[in-house]
Amino acid sequence: MAKFLVVHPVGSDVTVESATPLARAAKAHSTTEAYWVKSWYARAEGKLYCEWDAVDASAVQRVLERAVETLPVEARAPVAGIYELELMVDSEAFR
């Protein structure tokens, strides 16, 4: 499976309480073709960055469409805010 990063412009007022239903929906609608791994929130930028494992970007998009209709996705990627991560480097490899 490939790794993908999904960028959601959500504003600067996200809380754990407001994000919980979105996380539960993403988890509940994940499939063997696309599943949510984890997320990071950058309050200053007003963006939520979500890591996904998936067979392709379209599989992630299908899960998002079923899971959360109100969560915006950045529109600057080939598949609406879904970026394939082609190189991942772990700092532990350089100890």
Side-chain angles (χ1 to χ4, degrees):
M1 283 217 187
K3 292 272 188 197
F4 292 87
L5 182 70
V6 181
V7 181
H8 302 280
V10 293
S12 60
D13 60 349
V14 174
T15 63
V16 171
E17 292 79 18
S18 66
T20 297
L22 302 173
R24 286 188 176 144
K27 193 72 171 173
H29 288 85
S30 291
T31 67
T32 57
E33 291 189 342
Y35 60 91
W36 171 57
V37 177
K38 59 185 160 185
S39 297
W40 301 267
Y41 176 53
R43 184 176 307 280
E45 295 194 16
K47 292 185 180 179
L48 181 66
Y49 299 91
C50 300
E51 178 185 337
W52 287 77
D53 285 343
V55 294
D56 57 29
S58 296
V60 176
Q61 187 172 31
R62 285 191 298 274
V63 171
L64 291 172
E65 287 170 355
R66 287 192 312 268
V68 279
E69 296 176 10
T70 60
L71 186 61
V73 176
E74 186 176 77
R76 289 182 278 177
V79 181
I82 302 171
Y83 301 87
E84 185 170 2
L85 303 175
E86 296 179 13
L87 175 65
M88 297 186 66
V89 180
D90 186 340
S91 66
E92 293 300 312
F94 298 97
R95 286 192 173 251

